[in-house]
Amino acid sequence: MASQPPLPQPKAVLRGHHAQVHAAAFVRENQRLASGDAEGYVVLWDLTIVRPRAVWRAHTNAILGIASWGSDKIITHGRDNQLIIWKLAEEDEASLSTTLPLDPSPTPRPQPWVLFILPVNTMNFCSFGFCPATDDGTTDELLIAVPNTLASESVDIYHFPSQKRLHTVVSSPKGEKTGMVMSLVLCRVNSGSLTLITGYENGLAMVTQQQGPDGGIWDVSYRSQAHGQPVLSLDVSPSRDVFYTSGADANVVKHPIPQPASTYSIPETPTSSTTTLPSSPEPNIPISTKRDDSNNINKPAQQQPTKPTSLLSAALASAPKIAPIPQKQTVEVRTQPTKVVNTKHSGQQGLKVRSDGKIFATAGWDSKVRVYSAKTLQELAVLKWHQVGCYTIAFASLDLPTTNDDKTKSDGNNELVNNDQSSMAVVPKLVDVTVKDRRIKQAKETHWLAAGSKDGKISLWDIY
């Protein structure tokens, strides 16, 4: 009988949280992994040495989401109705504690510098979404989306650093019972249009896109109820043309993201001109004649008297024409998902798509991490290590530049020398690279998959 291949095992296991891990995110070019637990603690792990670099209690209740803003800011979203932006550069880590939440600390752990605190609604258990505030993708300004404070089926979008609320998006028609927003993503599609993707308590998934000359109109371009139970998580592909959802039921669904078209048009109008009306009839206006058949004599027709024109009428007639108001056209709403697969495994959440768009993974209530093909939704791997349910997934983001073999050649002193004079990047031999440099290179270039579990542990995997 042929032997079964060995089951995949994690490359490392991070032990330190006393409570269940609810959120995780790779930051600083994958050299750090930020994790948050049900007691509000955040641990910043150094993946080059697999040790904590900073530990603090960010919230007094469970953490719903973690993300990085640039290289020196960390965003945390807690169930204590607060979203906090912390200043935490690499040089600031030395001033913080490294005592893990699992170990008792005789003194309170110091916190990083607080930049912003935003009061939010966390009744939904829904984490925040974010994207750059400008089309060029710079991180100087940020947009953050959270469930509305009063109406839990609506979404508020705030601008940072101004902390100004820009939009309140109500996607569902008035009177429709969609339930609370359970998951959301804020992104920009290829044309730069701001797009909000939401999953609801009744299993509905919806795409709402910003339209109009001033961006003040939000139109629903896609809606589908492919889940029979609440949507627990969703994520968008790097190409921004599809998104994926998982829920409390067993379905994993692939949805389209319609590309926004111009839904506003301005009717063509002739060039505005100034019209001057005469104040009195001209003296040399020709008088038309008509034939009088009774007397067979041509008689001049009676000229219609000209109505005198007031100064106000003349002024109004000479005023420039006002530009017509853009007329909104009907937006076609798509309702059919691209693909629906019943996986036979209910309760999958924490769905995340890898940065190359080839695979995505989910964290299962049955303690298993499942990896799927982003193209076919076929199950590729089942990662089994934790003994209790998993709650969160994080993928390392890899944006490696493409290399051209024609521009490189071997040299006696270096492994590769670039012939392109505009970019003389020299890579030293391995013997000249320190152990620290090798660890940093491995942390940056590995397709890490991190899974956080109810047992307070985080497993690190390197697959595909």
Side-chain angles (χ1 to χ4, degrees):
M1 182 181 293
S3 61
Q4 296 291 333
L7 295 176
Q9 294 295 315
K11 295 294 183 181
V13 176
L14 307 178
R15 298 174 172 88
H17 286 282
H18 183 266
Q20 52 214 34
V21 179
H22 281 179
F26 287 89
V27 300
R28 292 201 199 130
E29 297 180 328
N30 307 328
Q31 296 185 61
R32 301 286 189 270
L33 174 68
S35 58
D37 63 24
E39 295 179 348
Y41 284 97
V42 174
V43 179
L44 198 63
W45 303 89
D46 187 343
L47 296 184
T48 62
I49 58 175
V50 199
R51 293 290 186 273
R53 284 291 190 184
V55 180
W56 77 97
R57 193 172 190 184
H59 298 272
T60 58
N61 208 325
I63 290 180
L64 298 175
I66 294 180
S68 64
W69 179 6
S71 61
D72 60 346
K73 291 182 284 293
I74 301 291
I75 308 172
T76 61
H77 186 189
R79 287 217 66 213
D80 56 356
N81 299 313
Q82 288 185 335
L83 184 144
I84 305 178
I85 300 179
W86 312 83
K87 185 183 183 304
L88 183 57
E90 186 173 356
E91 56 270 17
D92 300 327
E93 296 174 355
S95 62
L96 300 180
S97 173
T98 57
T99 303
L100 291 166
L102 195 60
D103 303 324
S105 177
T107 58
R109 298 172 177 84
Q111 292 183 335
W113 186 265
V114 176
L115 294 177
F116 306 102
I117 297 179
L118 179 69
V120 294
N121 170 26
T122 56
M123 185 178 65
N124 311 42
F125 298 91
C126 175
S127 181
F128 67 98
F130 67 100
C131 75
T134 55
D135 295 343
D136 55 11
T138 59
T139 58
D140 296 337
E141 300 177 64
L142 200 68
L143 297 180
I144 292 182
V146 293
N148 182 266
T149 304
L150 300 177
S152 56
E153 69 277 3
S154 303
V155 176
D156 290 333
I157 300 178
Y158 291 87
H159 173 271
F160 284 86
S162 69
Q163 293 185 268
K164 179 182 178 181
R165 183 170 65 178
L166 300 181
H167 307 281
T168 296
V169 182
V170 182
S171 301
S172 58
K174 187 176 181 180
E176 183 180 6
K177 302 293 185 180
T178 62
M180 298 183 296
V181 176
M182 301 295 293
S183 183
L184 63 88
V185 168
L186 184 66
C187 64
R188 292 187 180 276
V189 296
N190 295 336
S191 62
S193 176
L194 195 60
T195 300
L196 176 67
I197 304 174
T198 47
Y200 291 89
E201 191 177 7
N202 68 342
L204 178 69
M206 195 174 302
V207 177
T208 311
Q209 295 173 322
Q210 190 180 29
Q211 306 287 356
D214 57 352
I217 301 297
W218 289 80
D219 287 324
V220 175
S221 58
Y222 172 82
R223 53 178 292 141
S224 174
Q225 193 165 351
H227 293 276
Q229 296 189 39
V231 177
L232 298 179
S233 59
L234 62 87
D235 199 15
V236 180
S237 69
S239 58
R240 301 292 190 267
D241 57 349
V242 296
F243 71 98
Y244 306 86
T245 58
S246 65
D249 57 6
N251 289 347
V252 172
V253 187
K254 182 178 182 179
H255 308 264
I257 300 179
Q259 297 302 306
S262 177
T263 59
Y264 285 78
S265 61
I266 299 178
E268 294 184 0
T269 55
T271 305
S272 60
S273 59
T274 301
T275 305
T276 304
L277 296 180
S279 57
S280 60
E282 295 293 336
N284 296 326
I285 296 178
I287 301 176
S288 61
T289 60
K290 67 177 181 179
R291 183 177 179 85
D292 187 349
D293 294 333
S294 60
N295 299 321
N296 202 19
I297 299 174
N298 290 335
K299 295 181 179 180
Q302 296 294 326
Q303 182 180 356
Q304 297 295 329
T306 303
K307 185 178 181 179
T309 304
S310 65
L311 295 178
L312 177 60
S313 300
L316 291 176
S318 62
K321 302 296 183 181
I322 300 176
I325 299 176
Q327 300 296 320
K328 182 179 178 180
Q329 299 175 353
T330 303
V331 178
E332 181 182 359
V333 180
R334 299 177 61 177
T335 58
Q336 294 299 321
T338 305
K339 192 175 184 64
V340 180
V341 172
N342 186 346
T343 65
K344 310 297 183 182
H345 305 289
S346 60
Q348 300 184 62
Q349 64 183 64
L351 188 152
K352 285 292 183 292
V353 183
R354 200 167 68 176
S355 59
D356 58 5
K358 294 181 179 180
I359 61 175
F360 66 90
T362 61
W365 292 351
D366 59 357
S367 77
K368 297 179 178 64
V369 175
R370 290 179 170 84
V371 182
Y372 296 93
S373 165
K375 182 177 181 180
T376 65
L377 303 190
Q378 179 184 359
E379 187 178 278
L380 301 178
V382 178
L383 308 180
K384 171 62 177 173
W385 185 86
H386 299 277
Q387 302 301 314
V388 290
C390 295
Y391 291 148
T392 183
I393 291 291
F395 271 115
S397 178
L398 297 186
D399 297 319
L400 299 178
T402 56
T403 58
N404 190 344
D405 295 336
D406 296 335
K407 292 185 178 183
T408 59
K409 67 178 182 179
S410 178
D411 184 69
N413 298 323
N414 301 285
E415 285 290 321
L416 296 175
V417 178
N418 197 329
N419 287 336
D420 188 357
Q421 298 298 324
S422 63
S423 175
M424 295 297 293
V426 179
V427 180
K429 286 184 176 180
L430 290 179
V431 294
D432 299 330
V433 178
T434 64
V435 175
K436 180 180 179 181
D437 292 336
R438 285 203 300 269
R439 287 176 175 174
I440 293 176
K441 184 175 185 296
Q442 181 185 19
K444 286 184 175 182
E445 299 180 2
T446 302
H447 272 300
W448 291 118
L449 185 157
S453 172
K454 187 178 179 180
D455 57 13
K457 302 179 180 65
I458 303 169
S459 55
L460 282 178
W461 307 78
D462 179 17
I463 59 169
Y464 296 106

